Amino acid sequence: MSLVEEARRWLAQDPDPDTRTELSALIEAEDLAALEDRFGAKLEFGTAGLRGELGAGPNRMNRVTVMRAAAGLAAVLGPGKHVVIGYDARHKSDVFARDTAAVLTGAGLHASLLPAPLPTPVLAFAVRHLDADAGVTVTASHNPPRDNGYKVYWSDGSQIVPPLDSEISAAIDAVGRVDELPLNAPGTLTELGEGIVDDYIDAVLSLPLGDARDLRVAYTPLHGVGAATLTGAFLAAGFESPMAVEEQRNPDPDFPTVAFPNPEEPGAMDLAAALAAKLGSDLVLANDPDADRCAVGVPLPGGGVRMLTGDELGGLLAEHVITHTTGDRMVATSIVSATLLGKIARAHGVRYGETLTGFKWIMKAGEGLVFGYEEAIGYSVGSDAGLPVKDKDGIGAALTVAGIAAAAKRDGRTLLDLLDDQARRYGLHATSQLAFRVADLSLIDAAMTRLRATPPQELGGLAVERLDDLARGDGGLPPTDGLRYVLERDARVVVRPSGTEPKLKCYLEVVVPVTGTPAEARAHAEDRLAAIKADLTARLEL
């Protein structure tokens, strides 16, 4: 079948006037390059669901792609099952959510639709709270404005893992024309009210928040959906309402004030830092657009804001949760996060789990999990009652860190003082990243092949004491493409291809004992990290 014929077949079933107009114009213009980009490949359904640019064709996010995904999920679940559906405020998210509900109910399932664009953790919470069999949220998290995505949760409230992803993918491939799918069976759709948000807030109020509440917070939702829910949670917990960056307070799918809607990106926190300076804030908080991640900054006396790394905040939250819970507990993180969490766990006598990258794996670390995090500012905070959300929860994390910061303020201290305390107890764990974006994915394969063929004996002047080839399952984890170098003096490097972008990512960690001041140890650590980065850059040849 020619590209034009394939495009015409797609056009005949497409219910969306926007993508029909786009595709009709490409067919009429015989723009084969554009058609090849849309029809020469397809978005693959995996453990992260679907994510891609909006547009017509199987290699884009659109109503046909979403309806096929919903039909595949319905086939795996079977009639009579219950699915909760949520969505963010990106372009088409509400449309994709309603299409999902239409397909699921048409296939004999029951669907519950969240009442508005809401944070992803509200959806993850609702799956267990409503005793559903699965959940779907339409979001592309902190991707660029032209993207959207589709993420699936199972009955335990966490993201799907293999082999479920393969089963759903195969079922999607077996779906026929979407204009022939039965839709909207009567009496099988429940439109949820705002009470589900209240139930979520009640759940996060069970977190170990302490009793200190004197805290002034500058906050940005980065044009996403976090502001109303976060504000409601803070007020319900007895905190003063965070002051939001006005230009970024309301949802806007074009994210006009930032280059990328990710609080980790350069410049994304500039407006929040300016607001903190104007207000004399004690703390700066940010969520990404679907509010499953949380970024934290501490205003400095001389001006500016010191943003905490994901690993730094992970260490503070972990020790706080451990000291406010009891019994046989576990904390967990991924292989690319700092090794600090393992040391904290051993010091407090709790179990520690290390998993593959991604919250779908962290949430499967083991029984008794009260805290999990990943270095990319994702956290799930729990209490003796367990985890209210079995996924990243930027609202619960923000609320908990506010409690920690308020208690520190009462003692005349800040989160930075608490970081220094941890550095003295466990050594200063400094982490950093290198990322190499490529146009040709074969360059990443070639770089990994070179590293395997001629493994380095040292990096940044530190001897390589052990090499774990993660593709062989070294370290007792499921096989994944990656290499882990354990260096002398507790340093570590992990190299892995990104699962979502054309990047090779390198995660670096060095550990420096604090024999003088923590500031001196940090300076020493930065020198070591710079030396490792220089060596890696030269070896990778990217």
Side-chain angles (χ1 to χ4, degrees):
M1 189 187 304
S2 72
L3 280 173
V4 172
E5 290 172 329
E6 192 173 351
R8 290 188 189 280
R9 284 171 62 92
W10 185 279
L11 183 65
Q13 62 175 318
D14 189 351
D16 191 328
D18 294 334
T19 45
R20 286 178 60 82
T21 298
E22 171 196 339
L23 192 52
S24 296
L26 296 177
I27 293 171
E28 185 174 342
E30 297 184 353
D31 190 339
L32 297 184
L35 291 175
E36 174 67 27
D37 187 35
R38 288 159 176 77
F39 289 88
K42 69 182 180 74
L43 296 180
E44 295 292 342
F45 186 93
T47 53
L50 296 165
R51 193 173 291 186
E53 185 179 347
L54 291 162
N59 201 31
R60 294 287 190 274
M61 283 296 298
N62 51 65
R63 294 182 66 185
V64 176
T65 298
V66 164
M67 293 172 76
R68 287 173 55 82
L73 176 61
V76 170
L77 283 167
K81 297 298 176 68
H82 178 202
V83 182
V84 188
I85 304 164
Y87 56 101
D88 66 9
R90 284 177 175 268
H91 293 293
K92 301 284 185 182
S93 285
D94 57 340
V95 177
F96 294 165
R98 290 205 168 269
D99 281 341
T100 298
V103 171
L104 292 174
T105 57
L109 288 80
H110 179 76
S112 293
L113 185 66
L114 293 188
L118 286 167
T120 291
V122 175
L123 179 278
F125 163 80
V127 172
R128 284 196 297 163
H129 185 65
L130 299 176
D131 197 25
D133 299 289
V136 169
T137 188
V138 181
T139 180
S141 190
H142 51 265
N143 275 37
R146 283 294 302 166
D147 287 1
N148 213 324
Y150 196 86
K151 189 182 294 186
V152 176
Y153 293 77
W154 217 237
S155 57
D156 64 351
S158 63
Q159 298 175 46
I160 59 169
V161 295
L164 265 174
D165 58 336
S166 297
E167 293 177 28
I168 297 172
S169 182
I172 292 170
D173 290 341
V175 174
R177 292 171 60 105
V178 300
D179 58 347
E180 296 176 354
L181 292 171
L183 303 176
N184 292 316
T188 54
L189 174 64
T190 298
E191 306 238 7
L192 298 169
E194 289 295 329
I196 191 65
V197 181
D198 296 335
D199 291 342
Y200 163 79
I201 290 174
D202 286 344
V204 297
L205 292 181
S206 70
L207 296 175
L209 307 180
D211 59 1
R213 293 293 183 268
D214 179 19
L215 195 72
R216 179 169 293 179
V217 176
Y219 167 69
T220 176
L222 287 182
H223 302 292
V225 297
T229 305
L230 181 136
T231 300
F234 268 66
L235 292 174
F239 287 99
E240 178 183 313
S241 178
M243 297 297 293
V245 173
E246 191 59 39
E247 303 94 318
Q248 298 171 335
R249 177 198 301 270
N250 296 320
D252 188 328
D254 293 317
F255 308 110
T257 67
V258 291
F260 292 96
N262 180 350
E264 294 183 290
E265 290 287 338
M269 296 298 296
D270 287 355
L271 290 176
L275 178 62
K278 178 181 176 182
L279 297 175
S281 298
D282 306 304
L283 193 68
V284 180
L285 295 174
N287 291 130
D288 64 341
D290 70 328
D292 66 347
R293 288 174 168 84
C294 173
V296 174
V298 177
L300 300 173
V305 172
R306 157 79 150 83
M307 296 302 298
L308 273 62
T309 69
D311 285 312
E312 288 175 331
L313 184 56
L316 291 181
L317 286 170
E319 196 149 30
H320 177 77
V321 170
I322 289 171
T323 56
H324 288 82
T325 52
T326 59
D328 182 23
R329 294 149 291 157
M330 170 179 269
V331 295
T333 190
S334 73
I335 55 173
V336 300
S337 301
T339 58
L340 172 62
L341 183 58
K343 295 175 183 175
I344 293 173
R346 285 191 294 274
H348 290 275
V350 305
R351 290 177 290 118
Y352 167 68
E354 187 177 71
T355 73
L356 294 180
T357 307
F359 246 78
K360 57 186 175 287
W361 297 112
I362 293 170
M363 292 294 98
K364 301 288 194 297
E367 294 297 320
L369 192 65
V370 293
F371 178 74
Y373 93 96
E374 61 184 3
E375 48 74 38
I377 62 172
Y379 313 91
S380 182
V381 181
S383 66
D384 280 336
L387 298 169
V389 177
K390 294 190 72 175
D391 194 30
K392 298 182 293 292
D393 180 6
I395 308 293
L399 198 59
T400 307
V401 78
I404 298 172
K409 179 184 177 183
R410 185 169 59 189
D411 295 336
R413 311 180 82 216
T414 72
L415 297 181
L416 301 183
D417 296 308
L418 303 187
L419 287 178
D420 286 348
D421 291 346
Q422 283 195 331
R424 294 184 185 98
R425 283 196 296 272
Y426 305 111
L428 179 77
H429 290 63
T431 56
S432 189
Q433 278 193 38
L434 274 175
F436 300 91
R437 182 180 289 272
V438 298
D440 181 358
L441 286 174
S442 68
L443 295 175
I444 291 178
D445 293 336
M448 294 298 289
T449 298
R450 283 194 302 274
L451 286 177
R452 287 187 168 101
T454 55
Q457 300 304 303
E458 68 172 36
L459 288 168
L462 299 175
V464 176
E465 295 182 336
R466 191 180 84 238
L467 167 60
D468 294 333
D469 191 338
L470 302 176
R472 296 190 306 237
D474 292 357
L477 296 169
T480 186
D481 190 12
L483 297 165
R484 176 168 56 187
Y485 301 94
V486 178
L487 312 181
E488 62 178 321
R489 301 181 192 174
D490 278 347
R492 182 219 60 188
V493 173
V494 177
V495 181
R496 59 180 283 271
S498 170
T500 56
E501 300 175 276
K503 283 182 178 180
L504 185 66
K505 302 180 81 171
C506 308
Y507 304 83
L508 290 61
E509 178 184 27
V510 298
V511 182
V512 177
V514 179
T515 55
T517 67
E520 290 168 341
R522 284 191 178 88
H524 189 186
E526 289 303 319
D527 290 343
R528 283 190 186 173
L529 287 170
I532 295 172
K533 284 182 179 181
D535 263 10
L536 267 179
T537 301
R539 285 181 173 276
L540 289 170
E541 301 176 22
L542 290 174

